[in-house]
Structures are given as structure tokens and as C-alpha cells.
Amino acid sequence: ARECLKYKEVKSVDLIEIDLRVIELSKKYLPGIGGNAWSDSRLNINIKNGIDWIKNTKKNAYDVIIIDGADPIGPSKELYGSSFLKDCKRILKPGGILATQSESPESFQEIHINIIKVLREIFDFADPMYGYVSIYPSGLWSWSFASMERPNYMYPKENRVKEISENCQIWTERWQQGAFKTIPAFIERELAKT
């Protein structure tokens, strides 16, 4: 939410969190992570189960859905399942993009591959992007993006590239292109089996 709200053209962000205590503790003990987002009038905090939220949201409601869910085990497993992701597709506007964390391709290979396969069954396009997060298992992590009609997530808007890269520690257009192309060979082989 903090990163999205850096940009004036973002009209609103709906943050769906199942546990109010997470937000309370984040504000108290992790103030730098939330930054000014908590006081931004464009942020709408909803203490709800994300699965229920999506089911009850009207069609074509969002330009972007970002799922920063817990690992797909226990109750969070549904956030990576076909039913939930079909509802996400339903509430995306034409040209909309879905993004989700998709685990480590090394430490959680089967889960990682399954997330991509489910996204590819539902959306016209779905691709993993890779980067290093040193405190996560194996250090190699992934985020997967999906869309209909064309892979809009692959093409940053040219008029925004400079502004975005000036506000980021890692992202540049070149980094993004490379991150989508660095798919490990063993993952590419597994995905080709579909």
C-alpha cells in the first residue's frame, strides 16, 4: 500500500487484512514499513477475510490486485486456489493485472509450479518474476503476474519509468525485463509439461 500510494494517479487502495491486530502492531512496532500510508486518505482498510471480500466484490472493480498472502498452507492455501483466483479474474477490469507472491522455486518447487499452472489455466497470460530476498528460504523468491488479452505486466508505461525508478531501491525497467527472463531451467522444463 505504501509503495502504491507514492503515485498521485493512484486514486484509491483497498487493503484487505483478516486480522486488525496485524495492523495495530505494524503501526506501533514497524512504523517505517507503513510510512505515511496509514494516514493517506486514499487508503481504505477493510478487516475482512480476503476470500469473502473477493466473492462479494462486483465484476470489473479493480485495475490491479496484489496478493501478499502467507505461504499457501492452512487457511492461506485458498488464496492460491482456482476458485479464489477465478474470482480475482472476475473483479479485474479489462486490461487489469493480478500479482501474487509465488514462493521460492528452489525451496518450494512444487508449490511454486502449481501457482503458475493454476494462474495459466485461468488467465490468458501468467509469468513468474524472480529476485533475491536474502532472509527467505534459499534467497531466491518469486512473484507471479497474470492478465487477460495481453501480458500488460511485461511492459512498463514509458511515461512513468523514470519516476518509478527514482523512487525504488531495486526496480528499473532493465531489472524487470531481466527478472522475467531469469526463469531457472528446471522450472521452465516443469512448466512445459502442461
Side-chain angles (χ1 to χ4, degrees):
R2 179 197 69 209
E3 292 302 304
C4 293
L5 292 168
K6 282 182 179 178
Y7 305 99
K8 291 178 181 138
E9 65 267 27
V10 172
K11 293 178 182 147
S12 68
V13 171
D14 288 338
L15 174 65
I16 316 305
E17 171 56 53
I18 196 167
D19 188 351
L20 175 61
R21 193 79 175 126
V22 170
I23 291 175
E24 293 170 345
L25 293 173
S26 295
K27 286 178 179 179
K28 183 173 181 178
Y29 295 108
L30 304 168
I33 290 178
N36 296 325
W38 302 121
S39 60
D40 193 308
S41 63
R42 297 172 295 162
L43 179 63
N44 306 305
I45 298 172
N46 299 277
I47 307 303
K48 305 238 184 223
N49 180 316
I51 295 160
D52 295 336
W53 173 269
I54 294 290
K55 282 180 188 170
N56 296 307
T57 300
K58 68 179 183 170
K59 186 177 178 179
N60 299 332
Y62 290 97
D63 296 308
V64 177
I65 297 172
I66 301 170
I67 304 166
D68 188 15
D71 293 335
I73 54 173
S76 295
K77 190 172 186 175
E78 284 186 66
L79 296 175
Y80 304 90
S82 183
S83 178
F84 176 76
L85 293 169
K86 283 178 183 175
D87 274 331
C88 288
K89 176 184 168 186
R90 178 185 58 77
I91 69 168
L92 276 174
K93 292 179 183 176
I97 296 171
L98 177 129
T100 184
Q101 76 88 9
S102 50
E103 299 292 318
S104 166
E106 292 179 334
S107 297
F108 306 108
Q109 180 180 344
E110 186 177 331
I111 294 170
H112 173 68
I113 289 168
N114 187 57
I115 291 169
I116 299 165
K117 285 182 176 181
V118 169
L119 287 170
R120 287 182 174 176
E121 288 170 7
I122 296 167
F123 291 87
D124 292 343
F125 297 92
D127 294 285
M129 180 174 82
Y130 299 95
Y132 284 91
V133 182
S134 61
I135 62 169
Y136 284 6
S138 85
L140 180 60
W141 206 254
S142 73
W143 303 268
S144 290
F145 295 79
S147 64
M148 298 301 292
E149 292 104 38
R150 69 185 295 256
N152 295 329
Y153 49 83
M154 291 277 199
Y155 312 104
K157 293 181 178 180
E158 291 300 320
N159 61 336
R160 298 186 65 225
V161 168
K162 184 178 180 199
E163 178 189 7
I164 293 172
S165 61
E166 286 174 353
N167 283 303
C168 293
Q169 295 296 319
I170 296 173
W171 189 91
T172 65
E173 185 176 15
R174 185 174 171 180
W175 179 87
Q176 178 176 323
Q177 291 167 355
F180 275 116
K181 291 180 181 179
T182 58
I183 188 166
F186 65 96
I187 297 296
E188 200 164 37
R189 283 191 294 270
E190 285 298 316
L191 290 173
K193 291 178 182 178
T194 38

